[in-house]
Amino acid sequence: MKTKPDPNSLLGHLIELRNRLLRCVAAVLLVFVAIAYFARDIYALLAEPLLAVLPEGTSMIATDVAAPFFAPFKLTFIVAICLAIPYILWQVWQFIAPALYSREKRLMAPLVFSSTLLFYAGIAFAYFIVFPLIFAFFTSVAPEGVTIATDISSYLDFVLKLFFAFGLSFEIPIAILLLVWSGSISREALAEKRPYIIVGAFILGMLLTPPDVLSQTLLAIPMWLLFEAGLWLSRFYQPSTDDQTQEQEP
């Protein structure tokens, strides 16, 4: 007769990890199936910032035969992952929570929630603020005689890269809070490194965005401001010094 693995053993942890990963995959697929019918509408919404500034008589094009079909569904799958992020993070939280001390649990729960909101805020900032500015700039500097006709697959890759860059950069306050709270670095030391961090923000902006000064600056400045916000918030979090003596909760 088969015996149930001990949940506290390595095999038990691996089985639980597998089950939670399967739940995450199932959640993404369910969301994808629910919104797949609206794939074309979702792509049209994504293309709106570019279409709004294209010269009259121009439009987006598809250079690949299958692109009109695959590009909207690729975007829809990415949207499904983004919509399922709260559930995915909840599964991650449920998996690691038993190993955390009570003080860590009190800290991590709001951080998981706020990191999700910040990621969405980064995507919204890119869509509503950055895209109209950079697309208007790109279309205005096109040489005379050049017809602007952006490929839908290239456009999708471009905006997804920017979404990821801005979503990730908006997590800076969370990273600073964790570093200060864990005692890895003090907020005073971070404040002293401000000039280097500002330079680093512009370097990251150069690496994470397309090779144009405008999008690099539009990413670097928010990163700097988010660093300042995280530095200010870190004063309310004291380094964890006594967790090693606490008992783990069941």
Side-chain angles (χ1 to χ4, degrees), residues 5-244:
D6 181 4
N8 293 320
S9 66
L10 176 61
L11 180 59
H13 288 310
L14 291 175
I15 292 175
E16 182 184 5
L17 177 62
R18 181 202 63 186
N19 292 338
R20 296 198 180 278
L21 287 175
L22 289 175
R23 291 173 190 169
C24 293
V25 172
V28 172
L29 291 178
L30 284 175
V31 176
F32 175 75
V33 170
I35 64 176
Y37 177 78
F38 307 99
R40 294 175 63 185
D41 297 325
I42 294 173
Y43 193 94
L45 184 64
L46 182 71
E48 182 59 31
L50 176 61
L51 294 176
V53 296
L54 282 179
E56 189 176 352
T58 60
S59 63
M60 300 180 70
I61 62 172
T63 57
D64 190 356
V65 174
F69 175 80
F70 283 112
F73 279 98
K74 177 182 176 181
L75 172 62
T76 304
F77 185 73
I78 300 298
V79 171
I81 295 175
C82 292
L83 292 177
I85 279 180
Y87 180 80
I88 294 172
L89 291 178
W90 172 253
Q91 290 297 321
V92 173
W93 166 253
Q94 289 293 304
F95 180 72
I96 66 174
L100 300 178
Y101 296 105
S102 58
R103 184 170 182 238
E104 292 172 332
K105 289 181 181 180
R106 291 194 300 270
L107 175 69
M108 291 303 294
L111 285 184
V112 168
F113 177 75
S114 58
S115 63
T116 304
L117 290 183
L118 285 171
F119 184 79
Y120 288 153
I123 292 177
F125 180 83
Y127 182 82
F128 291 105
I129 305 297
V130 178
F131 287 179
L133 291 175
I134 63 174
F135 293 150
F137 172 75
F138 289 158
T139 56
S140 66
V141 298
E144 188 176 351
V146 174
T147 301
I148 301 174
T150 304
D151 176 62
I152 61 174
S153 296
S154 300
Y155 175 77
L156 179 60
D157 293 338
F158 178 85
V159 297
L160 288 180
K161 183 177 181 181
L162 285 181
F163 277 150
F164 176 77
F166 279 89
L168 190 63
S169 67
F170 269 59
E171 301 293 336
I172 289 176
I174 303 298
I176 291 176
L177 291 180
L178 289 175
L179 287 172
V180 173
W181 176 82
S182 64
S184 300
I185 191 170
S186 67
R187 62 183 308 272
E188 292 77 14
L190 280 173
E192 292 176 359
K193 293 178 171 60
R194 181 180 283 108
Y196 304 101
I197 290 173
I198 294 174
V199 173
F202 279 89
I203 294 175
L204 281 176
M206 177 183 66
L207 296 175
L208 294 177
T209 60
D212 66 276
V213 176
L214 183 60
S215 58
Q216 293 169 11
T217 304
L218 288 174
L219 177 60
I221 292 179
M223 288 175 67
W224 170 39
L225 296 177
L226 288 166
F227 164 75
E228 298 293 344
L231 193 63
W232 182 80
L233 289 172
S234 65
R235 68 177 63 193
F236 303 108
Y237 290 82
Q238 297 299 321
S240 175
T241 57
D242 57 347
D243 285 346
Q244 299 299 328

